[in-house]
Amino acid sequence: MKIAKPLFLLISLAVTNVITAQNQERIPEVEKLLGKMTIEEKIGQLNLLTPGGGVATGSVVSKNVESKIKAGNVGGLFGVASPSKMKMAQDLAVKQTRLQIPLLFGSDIIHGYKTTFPIPLGLSASWDMDLIKRTAQIAAKEATADGINWNFSPMVDIARDPRWGRIAEGAGEDAYLGSEIAKAMVTGYQGEDLTDEETMLACVKHFALYGAVEAGRDYNSVDMSRVKMFNQYLPPYKAAIDAGAASVMTSFNDVDGVPATGNKWLLTDLLRDRWNFDGFVVSDYTSLNEMMAHGLGDLQAVSALALKAGLDMDMVGEGFLSTLKKSLDEGKVTEEEITNACRHVLEAKYKLGLFEDPYKYIDESRPEKDILTPENRAVARKAAQRSFVLLKNENNVLPLKKSSNIALIGPLADSRNNMLGTWAPTGEIKNAVTILEGFKNVAPNARIEYAKGSNILNDKELAKNINVFGPRIEISKELPDELLNEALAVAKKSEVIVAVVGEATEMSGEAASRTDISIPDTQKKLIKELVATGKPVVLVLMSGRPLTIPEEFDLPVSILQVWHPGVEAGNAVADVVFGDYNPSGKLTATWPRSIGQIPIYHSMKNTGRPAPDSEEFQKFKSNYLDEKNSPLLPFGYGLSYTTFEYSDLKISKEKIKVNEAVEVSVTLKNTGKFDGEEVVQLYLHDVVRSITPPNRQLKGFKKVFLKKGESKTITITLKPEDLKFYNSSLEFVAEPGTFEVFVGGDSNASLKKSFVLE
Ligand code: NOJ
């Protein structure tokens, strides 16, 4: 169904391009429209509401949405459940308001629309940029088929504290990898042309530094030096903006003591003036109003502050709507500031082509042919396979034979509710494949017997906190010992035990921080008892974050980390367990030995008193009395069913000049018994510079396929900017001196060569 465009909007005046204060070329049609708007109409465009029906992520849901749209008080909606409702809302906007300005329709499509891909932390572990881009393209195609034209993604917050539940939503700890993924996602969502009906606006979030909340507690304060921000935390946001992200969402936290939503340095000096961002900035869910709780004043004061800081659109809180006119009358904000914010919102609508056709995303013929197609599910299966990380393969138990006699045990083995992962509100649980189903699909000749074995956890109060979006933790009527005994009986009849254990989906994600990130006790007990049977045990471990698993890691078990794999969960897990796909994922966030080591990440600094390489405790060195400094599993780590050997590291030049590139090459050989893929990683150490350098930092990678026995020379180019960093004056510079290069299969890579920048 296509609906004719309203005539009002075919504004065809040949207006010469207008140059604003920010020196950016403006869109004549938008300038013309702005000229006709009253101040109330302009303020209305700055208001983003959610009528409910989707998933509310705050305690407030917008009221009287219909009458507000008719009154011209709404710029966009999000969380609208269906295209028919969007059509009704768009009708109100374009048929019943004076200027007939169409609405934006936003949504959180964090890892797929109906075809749910693995959680972003899992996807990042694929280190496969083409695949990640493909998942974003599919998300855009499916979401736009259902009327959505603006996606609150990518979430690019660097996170080095796995207590923080939202580590699940991002790409992990590293600025370089995070930037590559940010680019892949923005270009995937937005494509080449935003007016294309299969693309949508991206919204890079949460700007900024949200991943660094103190103590991993959600919405907490952030305080960080500028050099740390610029070097370690800001690059992925900048990469998304350089890739053309059309919008930015502010974060809940403060930065330098000013909440991001009202932070002029962040939203104007950095984002617009330094990075030349020309899209629009939206607040997070009521984050404008929350500036009152932060201690910045009343609603009128914080709304004025946010507008002046550079916020363009207010999500849900209606602070702009209810106070800006008053602030204008009282001289607390200017008309130009309101106009500017409105301009940014209208320009986004223009870029989407909504002025040409407000209904272009509402096409009833699309959902059926575009959403959850077999092709899309095939990509979800592939993405899940590639996101899994083999942490341990005891006695090379994996892959299993398809004719095995298997005890499939564990609270997540037959748990459809926990396959999609956090932040998948547009996905539908009923479409997800459980692990039990996947095993039966992929290995129909295996003998598979299932037993739950334990609850995910036994604490009813905790389960209640986790089950806010529906039952993720279902505490069985049977007592824990009964569950356990049932599982042991099943285990005893088998030749191999596969135990699917870990976190329920909502044990990570928003407002799901944990102070203890180990496997819950009841599952730990199950694992120990299964191991005590003497049978080989494979743990299929699900989680939305790195876990602390030192005890389980020391047991004679194999461990396949599968995150929350998405709609094709069971099939993909079975593909890997039975060897149809050889695992190739690598961790993108360090796994600590203990919670006390957090924050822990690969690009740590040497300190003036580094601990000895032996990791034996030494007084007056930077170490712990009771724990090693090294993590349980380093960044970049992940095994394969085959083995890879690195040799012959070469650097194209021993000395280079500023702005010259260097080629680094290495020979990679598949020395094992399976074809497989390896992520070749390059780390750099700037030996002497004006601010303390990390011991090593990821600066390049390539994912390569090698047949068994095959060797290849892999070349990675270090570009001039890869040698640069932000110095104390926040200039992006490369300083002369020696650079050490390490290449290998994880961040402990030992092959080393150096070159000198003259
Ligand atoms: C709050 C979350 O922080 C943000 O990521 C999300 O986009 C909004 N809610 C809207 O749902």
Side-chain angles (χ1 to χ4, degrees):
M1 172 193 66
K2 280 269 166 195
I3 296 160
K5 46 188 132 170
L7 290 174
F8 73 96
L9 285 165
L10 300 176
I11 306 163
S12 55
L13 277 193
V15 183
T16 44
N17 285 354
V18 179
I19 308 289
T20 68
Q22 280 157 14
N23 248 355
Q24 266 148 6
E25 249 186 39
R26 291 304 174 200
I27 299 164
E29 287 86 340
V30 169
E31 297 308 312
K32 170 86 180 144
L33 182 57
L34 281 169
K36 293 185 189 166
M37 291 173 83
T38 64
I39 199 71
E40 286 81 4
E41 284 164 335
K42 288 179 186 170
I43 292 171
Q45 288 300 308
L46 316 186
N47 195 27
L48 175 66
L49 297 183
T50 186
V55 172
T57 54
S59 44
V60 191
V61 177
S62 314
K63 299 215 176 60
N64 305 325
V65 174
E66 202 176 310
S67 55
K68 281 175 189 151
I69 297 173
K70 283 198 248 174
N73 282 337
V74 182
L77 296 178
F78 73 102
V80 182
S82 70
S84 59
K85 288 194 181 148
M86 289 180 206
K87 156 101 179 33
M88 274 160 54
Q90 198 68 303
D91 278 347
L92 296 177
V94 302
K95 294 185 181 150
Q96 301 207 31
T97 63
R98 187 179 79 93
L99 289 172
Q100 306 168 322
I101 300 174
L103 297 168
L104 285 174
F105 290 102
S107 186
D108 287 277
I109 299 139
I110 309 301
H111 47 113
Y113 183 65
K114 286 269 178 333
T115 303
T116 309
F117 300 107
I119 56 164
L121 185 62
L123 262 186
S124 72
S126 72
W127 296 62
D128 184 336
M129 300 308 116
D130 292 340
L131 176 72
I132 291 174
K133 182 169 176 179
R134 185 80 196 106
T135 66
Q137 282 166 340
I138 290 174
K141 185 161 178 178
E142 291 195 357
T144 54
D146 249 355
I148 294 157
N149 48 39
W150 178 27
N151 189 13
F152 302 153
S153 174
M155 188 279 212
V156 303
D157 303 324
I158 294 294
R160 293 168 170 189
D161 189 332
R163 291 172 298 183
W164 190 51
R166 302 197 80 171
I167 194 171
E169 286 178 56
E173 72 182 39
D174 183 64
Y176 182 88
L177 179 64
S179 300
E180 294 297 307
I181 291 179
K183 239 187 286 173
M185 292 186 77
V186 169
T187 52
Y189 292 139
Q190 296 194 163
E192 301 282 300
D193 176 6
L194 272 173
T195 62
D196 180 332
E197 277 150 38
E198 293 178 4
T199 62
M200 57 188 172
L201 305 171
C203 183
V204 56
K205 70 187 190 186
H206 306 83
F207 193 60
L209 319 180
Y210 184 26
V213 283
E214 281 179 3
R217 174 156 60 79
D218 212 356
Y219 316 127
N220 204 358
S221 215
V222 172
D223 206 352
M224 186 185 291
S225 72
R226 290 276 160 100
V227 285
K228 186 166 185 176
M229 273 182 214
F230 273 77
N231 286 302
Q232 304 288 332
Y233 280 78
L234 293 176
Y237 306 106
K238 180 167 188 301
I241 284 152
D242 290 344
S247 68
V248 166
M249 186 187 294
T250 64
S251 56
F252 287 118
N253 55 281
D254 56 343
V255 171
D256 283 339
V258 181
T261 303
N263 192 315
K264 178 171 176 299
W265 175 77
L266 204 60
L267 303 188
T268 298
D269 302 355
L270 180 65
L271 186 62
R272 298 239 178 238
D273 297 346
R274 187 164 174 150
W275 291 355
N276 293 319
F277 174 65
D278 72 345
F280 72 105
V281 181
V282 64
S283 76
D284 203 342
Y285 206 109
T286 62
S287 68
L288 188 148
N289 313 56
E290 290 166 24
M291 286 169 66
M292 295 188 282
H294 276 284
L296 275 273
D298 63 15
L299 189 59
Q300 186 184 352
V302 298
S303 301
L305 188 69
L307 181 80
K308 292 181 107 55
L311 184 74
D312 300 314
M313 201 175 214
D314 169 12
M315 188 192 294
V316 180
E318 302 189 23
F320 275 179
L321 189 71
S322 59
T323 69
L324 281 187
K325 174 72 178 36
K326 184 161 185 272
S327 290
L328 179 67
D329 293 343
E330 292 169 3
K332 291 179 177 144
V333 300
T334 64
E335 177 155 2
E336 195 194 346
E337 285 160 347
I338 295 171
T339 304
N340 225 5
C342 182
R343 170 182 290 122
H344 295 146
V345 173
L346 295 180
E347 283 177 346
K349 295 181 178 185
Y350 181 88
K351 285 181 204 160
L352 282 171
L354 289 177
F355 288 124
E356 281 274 325
D357 180 0
Y359 298 96
K360 58 182 292 199
Y361 293 94
I362 303 172
D363 175 351
E364 277 169 6
S365 71
R366 279 192 61 195
E368 204 189 319
K369 65 177 178 14
D370 287 345
I371 295 178
L372 205 68
T373 60
E375 297 75 38
N376 294 357
R377 287 195 79 126
V379 177
R381 184 163 177 170
K382 180 174 167 194
Q385 294 165 350
R386 292 169 86 80
S387 73
F388 302 160
V389 185
L390 182 62
L391 303 182
K392 225 186 135 189
N393 197 2
E394 188 81 3
N395 298 324
N396 291 327
V397 161
L398 288 172
L400 301 184
K401 287 200 205 67
K402 287 188 180 169
S403 57
S404 308
N405 172 358
I406 300 167
L408 183 62
I409 310 286
L412 291 159
D414 187 23
S415 176
R416 204 177 310 283
N417 290 350
N418 284 297
M419 297 301 101
L420 297 187
T422 188
W423 254 132
T426 51
E428 287 176 69
I429 286 172
K430 68 172 175 24
N431 296 325
V433 181
T434 68
I435 310 301
L436 179 57
E437 288 167 345
F439 271 43
K440 289 185 176 162
N441 292 342
V442 172
N445 296 327
R447 190 190 158 277
I448 298 164
E449 204 176 336
Y450 159 78
K452 184 172 175 186
S454 78
N455 296 311
I456 292 176
L457 45 82
N458 293 331
D459 179 336
K460 290 198 174 121
E461 279 306 302
L462 182 51
K464 210 168 90 198
N465 295 345
I466 293 162
N467 287 344
V468 280
F469 299 137
R472 302 293 185 262
I473 296 182
E474 288 166 293
I475 300 187
S476 294
K477 289 198 187 70
E478 290 143 288
L479 295 173
D481 277 351
E482 290 169 348
L483 289 175
L484 179 63
N485 289 335
E486 232 171 73
L488 291 175
V490 169
K492 279 184 189 135
K493 288 187 272 168
S494 70
E495 52 183 329
V496 57
I497 300 165
V498 177
V500 190
V501 292
E503 292 188 317
T505 58
E506 301 309 327
M507 286 170 77
S508 61
E510 187 170 350
S513 295
R514 298 178 66 195
T515 60
D516 173 359
I517 55 168
S518 62
I519 297 172
D521 284 346
T522 189
Q523 295 189 64
K524 276 177 175 253
K525 182 166 173 200
L526 170 67
I527 294 166
K528 276 193 207 137
E529 297 276 346
L530 291 174
V531 171
T533 62
K535 313 258 176 180
V537 176
V538 176
L539 301 183
V540 171
L541 187 54
M542 290 192 180
S543 68
R545 54 157 61 81
L547 299 172
T548 46
I549 52 160
E551 279 174 59
E552 291 72 26
F553 200 79
D554 276 352
L555 294 171
V557 293
S558 303
I559 309 179
L560 181 68
Q561 168 65 22
V562 301
W563 317 105
H564 292 116
V567 72
E568 284 289 324
N571 289 333
V573 169
D575 290 336
V576 173
V577 165
F578 294 105
D580 287 348
Y581 181 76
N582 181 359
S584 64
K586 301 271 189 175
L587 300 177
T588 57
T590 302
W591 284 43
R593 294 175 194 275
S594 80
I595 203 106
Q597 293 181 309
I598 294 170
I600 185 167
Y601 46 93
H602 79 278
S603 57
M604 298 202 98
K605 295 181 180 183
N606 206 35
T607 80
R609 294 184 175 194
D613 288 343
S614 68
E615 297 217 76
E616 266 168 51
F617 174 78
Q618 270 187 37
K619 194 74 183 165
F620 306 120
K621 295 287 184 190
S622 179
N623 47 202
Y624 299 103
L625 279 173
D626 57 354
E627 187 56 279
K628 292 178 180 174
N629 285 2
S630 63
L632 183 72
L633 300 167
F635 175 84
Y637 174 86
L639 304 175
S640 161
Y641 295 153
T642 191
T643 45
F644 293 99
E645 197 180 84
Y646 287 79
S647 63
D648 208 16
L649 177 62
K650 286 194 191 117
I651 295 193
S652 59
K653 287 179 187 154
E654 279 175 9
K655 289 187 177 162
I656 60 161
K657 300 200 165 40
V658 184
N659 292 330
E660 229 185 300
V662 197
E663 308 250 289
V664 178
S665 66
V666 72
T667 304
L668 181 71
K669 181 164 191 206
N670 181 341
T671 50
K673 299 198 180 79
F674 295 81
D675 300 345
E677 285 153 295
E678 168 73 335
V679 181
V680 177
Q681 300 160 45
L682 185 158
Y683 295 86
L684 197 65
H685 176 210
D686 187 351
V687 179
V688 176
R689 69 184 203 188
S690 58
I691 63 166
T692 51
N695 278 340
R696 48 180 70 184
Q697 255 185 304
L698 183 74
K699 287 293 176 188
F701 62 89
K702 255 188 194 163
K703 189 156 181 163
V704 219
F705 173 82
L706 255 65
K707 290 198 150 306
K708 60 184 167 200
E710 195 186 356
S711 284
K712 265 189 197 162
T713 302
I714 312 300
T715 303
I716 297 178
T717 304
L718 274 174
K719 298 180 289 307
E721 62 265 29
D722 295 330
L723 310 190
K724 294 187 180 172
F725 65 98
Y726 292 92
N727 65 16
S728 295
S729 312
L730 303 181
E731 297 149 344
F732 194 49
V733 294
E735 291 177 355
T738 302
F739 287 80
E740 292 173 344
V741 176
F742 301 85
V743 177
D746 63 41
S747 55
N748 287 338
S750 54
L751 282 185
K752 176 178 160 189
K753 276 268 149 70
S754 345
F755 66 92
V756 172
L757 174 67
E758 293 182 323

